[in-house]
């Protein structure tokens, strides 16, 4: 694109994002609004409208500090909208003096005005059907009514596939379908040009630009902005007169592409119907009609006819509201159209202008020599016959006849298989090049929003099914600006955490904290990551910061509990985890961590905690793993295997869970099945030391010494200070007859762990083929 086209495209994209975000805020879908506002801010970071919408969305979602950080920029960069939002945030935080100062500064601003993104906008009093289904699903999910929640989320996405909260709800339930089924791939739009030949209409729908999922493409109300009457807009061209059934309705079938995305059906296009004329092809097709002035009598006749039709109750606008095109309209455009219909019908000036422009185009065609040679009396005869030619059918009105007359003098629009090129357009039956270019820019903006949402949906679903590699791959395919957003960094960090790639996950979470210093979401995962890495100082700093941001957030108390757990203060950790559960009873992770802290002291209490976590979230695999560990300690191998396998079915790519299943099978005596499970686990995570160690011990018991030596040597390279690994390796070398190597390794074990002298003596006292008592490696 050149500079002019890029600017026009950016403007269209900005309008689309603004309407979508405001519609989500009006329907109380604040998390969806945050998602799209962050996408908008990533595209247009220097745009104050994007900054305002992102800050307002975070504020409505309860992330007050993050919202304040967006607008609390240096004073020369602030506008009146930034100051207004800063005042709102400071008021919520109790900083009334700062709020007052911000308001005073906004009054001093010479260009003072309310937030520009909310100017000239009509808010909804009640949400639309799709939003209600989404909120119903959210309540059912919190109430543990999973079937009802899944049904509500599916209904919401069927009505509006851009409702991000509905998609996340399906992910939380684990019943999200394939992305290609839910959000099918859509190719980028191409420029449309008049076809060389009139081709038959295709039987499948084509992208119209009216909206992403609008069944009928004849109206241009779309997902992103309210429907408004446009006086100068041209009606959509219909098919040729050879197909009269297509002319019986103002709304074309889905197979008909629209050139004029922002062309609205006229509010009162009350012009008498015209009979169909056939016209021979001529050179005027290429050069277009010769513009001539319209006679004043035509305007008077038009206004008289309009009044006559309204007096008889044949208002085409009223009929249009009953058509399927309005009933099946998308979420965010239907109410806007309904709210604006009275104003359109009550504004005769715009109607007159629209009728004038319509009659001007028809008159120009008649007077330019491109019509049939029937003299200049043909228009006058058509007006006299108007009352007798009106159709009485439900789907026919004056507007339709006007479109029928238009179709008589214009070629058929192209279908989905028409050839297209980027050549310049000349004015003609397909409209001006500016209108076609505008339609193309609108479709580009719609495609960008749909495509970016689809990419994040693929990554989110991959993380839901714990396919970390796919999630990371999808995030890396985004643009650099999108990859640096908090949403992308959060997905990346959680995927690396579930992959047990703790070093890279730590770097990603640090970048997330830089991008959004006051973020609370996902900080419980970050605190657990620091617990695994034993980063006491970093964990302490994180816990203090989260507590200062919101002392009533469960993330803050989970971080504090992890800090106490790292310091072996279990009673304090349990108190903090219990506090987190009080702050948010739907936080399953707080119950799970409480169970892990209790497992060494009271198995019954730990089981109760894990069961409480599963009542909140049945897909919380950590709770299933905790129950399996409890039953394994109680030597209830059948129950332990059941719960471990349940956890594995939720997270099939977790090598630790597979290792636990193999360990249960080993204790049940099924060594062959245990070896198969360990092989699968090592294939998923070759660097997992615990799984490889357990497999080596089974191989030793099965007298497969050479294979066991390979595993133990690999472990010794990765963990040379692990005494259990060196001791098992010394034992295997002694069993294969390498006494020198065994003695060297036993000396190394004595240096690493002096307390293991008695264990070394027992090994030396046994016969080569005897197996000493089993030793276990500390798994914590």
């Amino acid at each position: 694109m050149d500079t002019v086209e890029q600017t026009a495209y950016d403007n269209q994209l900005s309008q689309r994002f603004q309407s979508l975000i405001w519609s989500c805020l009006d329907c109380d879908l604040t998390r969806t609004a945050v998602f799209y506002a962050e996408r908008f801010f990533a595209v247009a970071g220097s745009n104050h409208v994007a900054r305002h919408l992102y800050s307002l969305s975070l504020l409505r979602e309860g992330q007050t500090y993050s919202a304040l950080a967006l607008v609390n920029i240096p004073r020369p960069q602030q506008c009146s909208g930034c100051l207004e939002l800063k005042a709102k945030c400071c008021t919520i935080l109790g900083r009334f003096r700062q709020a007052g100062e911000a308001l005073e500064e906004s009054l001093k601003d010479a260009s003072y005005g309310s937030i520009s993104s909310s100017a000239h906008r009509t808010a909804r009093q009640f949400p639309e059907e799709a939003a209600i289904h989404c909120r119903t699903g959210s309540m059912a999910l919190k109430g543990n009514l999973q079937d009802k929640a899944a049904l509500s989320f599916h209904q919401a996405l069927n009505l509006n596939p851009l409702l991000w909260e509905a998609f996340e709800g399906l992910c939380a339930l684990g019943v999200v379908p394939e992305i290609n089924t839910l959000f099918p791939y859509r190719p980028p739009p191409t420029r449309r040009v008049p076809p060389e030949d009139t081709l038959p209409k295709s039987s499948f729908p084509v992208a119209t630009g009216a909206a992403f999922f609008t069944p009928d493409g004849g109206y241009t109300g779309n997902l992103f902005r309210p429907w408004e009457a446009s006086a100068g807009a041209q009606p959509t061209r219909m098919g040729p007169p050879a197909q009269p059934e297509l002319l019986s309705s103002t709304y074309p079938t889905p197979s008909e592409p629209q050139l004029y995305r922002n062309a609205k059906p006229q509010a009162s296009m009350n012009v008498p119907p015209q009979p169909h004329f056939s016209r021979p092809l001529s050179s005027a097709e290429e050069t277009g009609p010769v513009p001539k002035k319209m006679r004043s009598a035509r305007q008077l006749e038009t206004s008289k006819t309009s009044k006559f039709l309204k007096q008889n109750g044949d208002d085409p606008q009223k009929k249009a509201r009953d058509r399927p095109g309005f009933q099946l309209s998308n979420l965010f455009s239907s109410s806007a159209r309904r709210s604006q219909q009275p104003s359109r019908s009550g504004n005769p000036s715009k109607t007159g202008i629209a009728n004038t422009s319509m009659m001007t185009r028809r008159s120009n065609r008649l007077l330019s020599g491109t019509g049939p040679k029937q003299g200049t009396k043909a228009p006058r005869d058509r007006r006299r016959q108007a009352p007798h030619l009106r159709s009485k059918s439900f789907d026919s009105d004056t507007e339709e006849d006007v479109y029928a007359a238009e179709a008589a003098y214009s070629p058929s629009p192209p279908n989905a298989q028409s050839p297209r090129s980027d050549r310049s357009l000349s004015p003609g039956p397909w409209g001006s090049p500016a209108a076609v270019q505008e339609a193309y820019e609108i479709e580009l903006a719609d495609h960008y929003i749909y495509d970016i949402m689809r990419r994040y949906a693929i990554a989110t679903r991959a993380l839901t099914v714990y396919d970390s590699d796919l999630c990371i791959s999808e995030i890396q395919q985004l643009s650099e600006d999108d990859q640096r957003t908090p949403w992308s960094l959060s997905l990346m960090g959680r995927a690396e955490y579930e992959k047990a790639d703790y070093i890279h996950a730590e770097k990603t979470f640090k970048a997330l904290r830089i991008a959004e210093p006051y973020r609370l979401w996902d900080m419980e995962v970050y605190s657990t990551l620091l617990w695994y890495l034993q980063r006491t100082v970093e964990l302490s700093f994180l816990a203090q910061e989260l507590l200062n941001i919101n002392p009533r957030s469960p993330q803050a108390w989970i971080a504090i509990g992890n800090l106490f757990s790292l310091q072996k203060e279990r009673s304090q950790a349990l108190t903090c985890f219990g506090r987190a559960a009080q702050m948010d009873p739907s936080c399953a992770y707080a119950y799970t961590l409480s169970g892990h802290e209790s497992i060494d002291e009271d198995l019954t209490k730990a089981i109760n905690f894990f069961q409480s976590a599963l009542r909140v979230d049945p897909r919380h695999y950590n709770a299933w793993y905790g129950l399996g560990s409890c039953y394994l300690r109680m030597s209830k191998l059948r129950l332990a295997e059941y719960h471990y396998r349940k956890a594995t079915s939720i997270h099939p790519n977790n090598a630790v869970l597979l290792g636990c299943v193999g360990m249960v099978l080993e204790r049940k005596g099924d060594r062959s099945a245990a070896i198969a499970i360990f092989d699968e686990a090592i294939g998923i995570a070759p660097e997992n030391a615990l799984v490889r160690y357990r497999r080596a011990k089974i191989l030793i018991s099965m007298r497969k010494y050479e294979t066991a030596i390979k595993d133990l040597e690999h472990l010794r390279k990765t963990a040379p200070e692990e005494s259990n690994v060196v001791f098992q390796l010394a034992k295997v070398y002694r069993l294969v007859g390498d006494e020198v190597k065994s003695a060297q390794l036993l000396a190394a074990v004595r240096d690493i762990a002096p307390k293991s002298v008695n264990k070394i003596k027992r090994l030396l006292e046994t016969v080569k083929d005897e197996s000493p008592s089993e030793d276990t490696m500390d798994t914590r």
Side-chain angles (χ1 to χ4, degrees):
M1 293 186 184
D2 56 18
T3 306
V4 177
E5 291 181 351
Q6 184 65 38
T7 303
Y9 166 72
D10 292 341
N11 292 336
Q12 292 291 350
L13 187 62
S14 175
Q15 292 177 10
R16 289 301 199 246
F17 268 122
Q18 290 180 53
S19 295
L20 176 58
I21 296 165
W22 276 119
S23 300
C24 294
L25 291 175
D26 289 343
C27 296
D28 288 334
L29 301 176
T30 53
R31 185 166 176 83
T32 304
V34 170
F35 174 76
Y36 288 110
E38 186 178 296
R39 308 282 73 74
F40 184 26
F41 187 67
V43 174
S46 59
N47 189 339
H48 274 265
V49 176
R51 183 180 296 273
H52 298 163
L53 286 176
Y54 190 18
S55 176
L56 182 61
S57 300
L58 288 171
L59 181 63
R60 294 279 296 274
E61 182 61 15
Q63 306 296 314
T64 310
Y65 280 95
S66 296
L68 178 60
L70 281 170
V71 295
N72 194 22
I73 54 180
R75 181 63 188 93
Q77 301 177 13
Q78 286 180 325
C79 64
S80 58
C82 295
L83 293 170
E84 181 181 347
L85 282 170
K86 179 181 178 181
K88 290 182 179 180
C89 296
C90 291
T91 302
I92 294 176
L93 296 174
R95 303 175 183 179
F96 302 111
R97 182 178 298 179
Q98 296 182 18
E101 292 175 354
L103 292 175
E104 291 176 357
E105 288 291 333
S106 64
L107 291 174
K108 295 177 183 178
D109 193 346
S111 59
Y112 169 75
S114 60
I115 302 177
S116 58
S117 55
S118 64
H120 308 293
R121 188 184 69 87
T122 302
R124 288 178 182 81
Q125 184 177 3
F126 301 103
E128 290 288 348
E129 182 180 357
I132 294 178
H133 281 301
C134 181
R135 290 164 57 186
T136 301
S138 299
M139 297 302 102
L141 179 61
K142 292 182 178 180
N144 206 17
L145 302 174
Q146 298 183 22
D147 295 337
K148 185 176 180 180
L151 178 61
S152 297
F153 288 139
H154 276 295
Q155 290 174 339
L157 288 176
N158 288 336
L159 292 172
N160 181 2
L162 294 184
L163 289 183
W164 184 257
E165 289 178 57
F167 175 73
E168 282 192 330
L170 290 178
C171 291
L173 291 170
V175 294
V176 58
E178 291 292 335
I179 295 299
N180 290 331
T181 302
L182 197 60
F183 307 122
Y185 172 76
R186 296 180 181 179
T190 56
R191 298 177 189 272
R192 296 177 179 176
V193 297
E196 297 177 0
D197 298 319
T198 301
L199 300 177
K201 295 184 181 298
S202 60
S203 59
F204 55 88
V206 296
T208 63
F212 293 134
F213 48 89
T214 307
D216 294 310
Y219 72 98
T220 57
N222 50 61
L223 175 67
F224 303 105
R225 61 182 180 187
W227 192 93
E228 295 179 358
S230 176
Q234 299 180 1
T236 304
R237 294 330 194 255
M238 301 299 291
Q243 300 177 352
E245 66 276 4
L246 296 179
L247 304 178
S248 61
S249 174
T250 306
Y251 301 94
T253 60
S255 62
E256 297 174 355
Q258 289 185 345
L259 283 182
Y260 304 99
R261 263 308 279 283
N262 59 342
K264 283 78 177 175
Q266 301 301 319
S268 300
M269 190 73 69
N270 297 322
V271 181
Q274 310 292 336
H276 301 317
F277 289 92
S278 63
R279 150 176 90 121
L281 295 175
S282 65
S283 61
E285 293 264 1
E286 301 178 0
T287 59
V290 179
K292 291 188 178 182
K293 294 184 178 179
M294 189 187 68
R295 292 175 295 180
S296 59
R298 181 65 56 87
Q299 297 182 3
L300 297 175
E301 190 71 22
T302 301
S303 60
K304 290 180 181 179
T305 306
S306 176
K307 293 181 179 178
F308 170 77
L309 293 178
K310 288 191 175 182
Q311 289 175 358
N312 286 278
D314 295 328
D315 188 358
Q317 180 186 351
K318 181 178 180 181
K319 291 183 177 181
R321 287 195 296 268
D322 297 330
R323 293 194 179 95
F326 280 86
Q327 295 173 358
L328 299 177
S329 61
N330 56 57
L331 172 63
F332 299 126
S333 58
S334 58
S335 61
R337 287 194 304 274
R338 287 196 298 269
S339 64
Q340 293 179 4
Q341 284 168 356
S343 62
R344 293 199 305 272
S345 61
N347 192 352
S349 61
K350 290 186 178 181
T351 304
I353 295 173
N355 292 337
T356 301
S357 63
M358 177 64 68
M359 299 304 295
T360 301
R361 291 195 298 273
R362 188 162 55 252
S363 299
N364 288 340
R365 291 191 180 97
L366 293 174
L367 297 177
S368 62
T370 60
K373 297 179 180 179
Q374 298 182 12
T376 58
K377 293 183 179 181
R380 192 176 301 111
D381 294 339
R382 288 198 299 273
R383 287 198 303 275
R384 285 198 299 267
Q385 296 173 0
H388 305 284
L389 294 177
R390 289 192 76 245
S391 173
K392 300 298 182 181
S393 64
F394 176 78
D395 292 329
S396 176
D397 55 22
T398 307
E399 290 184 54
E400 299 156 2
D401 297 323
V402 172
Y403 294 148
E406 280 291 311
Y409 297 97
S410 61
S412 157
N415 57 17
Q417 299 174 350
S418 300
R420 294 168 183 171
S421 66
D422 294 336
R423 66 180 178 218
S424 60
L425 299 177
S426 60
W430 277 73
S432 64
V436 177
Q437 178 65 22
E438 182 181 2
Y440 174 65
E441 291 162 358
I442 292 174
E443 289 189 354
L444 277 180
D446 289 351
H447 179 268
Y448 174 83
I449 295 176
Y450 179 83
D451 183 67
I452 196 69
M453 180 273 300
R454 186 176 181 273
R455 288 179 180 272
Y456 276 99
I458 294 174
T460 303
R461 185 187 182 277
L463 185 59
T464 300
V465 298
Y466 298 101
D467 190 352
S468 300
D469 293 331
L470 178 59
C471 178
I472 294 172
S473 174
E474 286 296 328
I475 295 298
Q476 290 176 346
Q477 293 177 14
L478 297 172
S479 64
E480 293 184 2
D481 292 336
D482 283 313
Q483 290 185 34
R484 290 194 294 264
T485 59
W487 208 287
S488 299
L489 293 173
S490 172
L491 287 174
M492 181 82 75
R494 288 162 56 196
E496 291 168 343
Y497 169 80
E498 296 296 345
K499 194 180 176 182
D501 188 1
Y502 297 142
I503 301 300
H504 287 91
E506 182 185 16
K507 294 179 181 178
T508 304
F509 274 108
K510 285 182 178 179
L512 174 61
R513 293 276 296 163
I514 294 174
E516 189 174 349
Y518 300 100
R519 184 182 180 91
L520 291 172
W521 294 329
D522 307 313
M523 289 299 104
E524 71 278 7
V525 179
Y526 185 33
S527 65
T528 304
L529 172 65
L530 295 176
W531 182 90
Y532 275 116
L533 296 175
Q534 298 186 2
R535 304 278 199 268
T536 306
V537 177
E538 290 84 351
L539 183 55
S540 175
F541 178 74
L542 175 65
Q544 293 180 23
E545 282 206 328
L546 296 179
L547 193 64
N548 290 332
I549 293 172
N550 187 0
R552 300 185 63 84
S553 64
Q555 294 88 351
W557 289 102
I558 287 176
I560 299 173
N562 279 329
L563 178 61
F564 282 122
S565 175
L566 188 58
Q567 296 174 349
K568 308 299 182 183
E569 299 181 16
R570 293 183 176 177
S571 60
Q572 297 291 336
L574 278 172
T575 302
C576 293
F577 293 144
R579 182 65 173 168
Q582 290 178 353
M583 294 295 100
D584 185 7
S586 63
C587 182
Y589 199 42
Y591 297 108
T592 300
L593 292 176
S594 299
H596 283 301
E597 288 299 318
S598 306
I599 197 171
D600 291 330
E601 298 178 353
D602 191 343
L603 288 176
T604 303
K605 188 177 179 181
I607 290 174
N608 291 332
F609 279 127
F610 291 132
Q611 290 175 345
S612 298
L614 291 177
R615 279 192 290 268
V616 173
D617 183 8
R619 295 192 73 253
H620 194 57
Y621 75 89
N622 287 302
W624 290 104
Y625 163 76
L627 285 174
S629 300
C630 291
Y631 290 123
L632 182 62
R633 294 192 178 201
M634 297 169 68
S635 297
K636 297 181 179 180
L637 301 182
R638 185 180 61 85
L639 288 174
E641 182 183 359
Y642 168 78
H643 288 89
Y644 281 143
R645 289 192 181 275
K646 191 72 175 178
T648 305
S649 65
I650 298 172
H651 193 343
N653 296 320
N654 193 309
V656 175
L657 296 178
L658 289 173
C660 292
V661 175
M663 189 164 52
V664 173
L665 293 175
E666 178 191 357
R667 291 187 60 175
K668 291 174 68 175
D670 192 353
R671 294 179 178 177
S672 299
I675 286 291
I677 293 292
F678 284 132
D679 291 341
E680 181 182 356
I682 292 175
I684 294 175
E687 299 301 325
N688 190 294
L690 177 61
V691 174
R692 194 177 290 271
Y693 179 77
R694 296 299 308 180
R695 186 177 72 169
K697 292 191 67 175
I698 294 180
L699 291 172
I700 293 173
S701 64
M702 296 174 67
R703 300 179 186 275
K704 297 181 179 181
Y705 301 130
E706 296 298 330
T707 308
I709 288 175
K710 292 180 181 179
D711 283 340
L712 292 172
E713 287 287 358
H714 182 274
L715 290 174
R716 189 188 178 193
K717 292 179 182 179
T718 57
E721 299 299 323
E722 181 58 52
S723 61
N724 287 328
V725 173
V726 181
F727 178 79
Q728 291 293 334
L729 188 58
K731 184 174 71 172
V732 176
Y733 277 121
R734 186 171 186 272
L735 292 173
V736 298
D738 193 343
E739 297 287 349
V740 177
K741 189 70 172 178
S742 176
Q744 292 175 350
L745 292 173
L746 289 176
V749 171
R750 187 179 56 186
D751 293 337
I752 296 172
K755 295 182 180 180
S756 60
V757 174
N758 294 330
K759 187 168 58 174
I760 295 173
K761 288 181 178 180
R762 287 197 302 268
L763 176 62
L764 295 175
E765 291 173 357
T766 57
V767 185
K768 290 183 180 180
D769 291 339
E770 276 187 35
S771 294
S773 59
E774 292 292 330
D775 300 296
T776 59
M777 185 173 69
D778 188 6
T779 60
R780 290 182 60 96

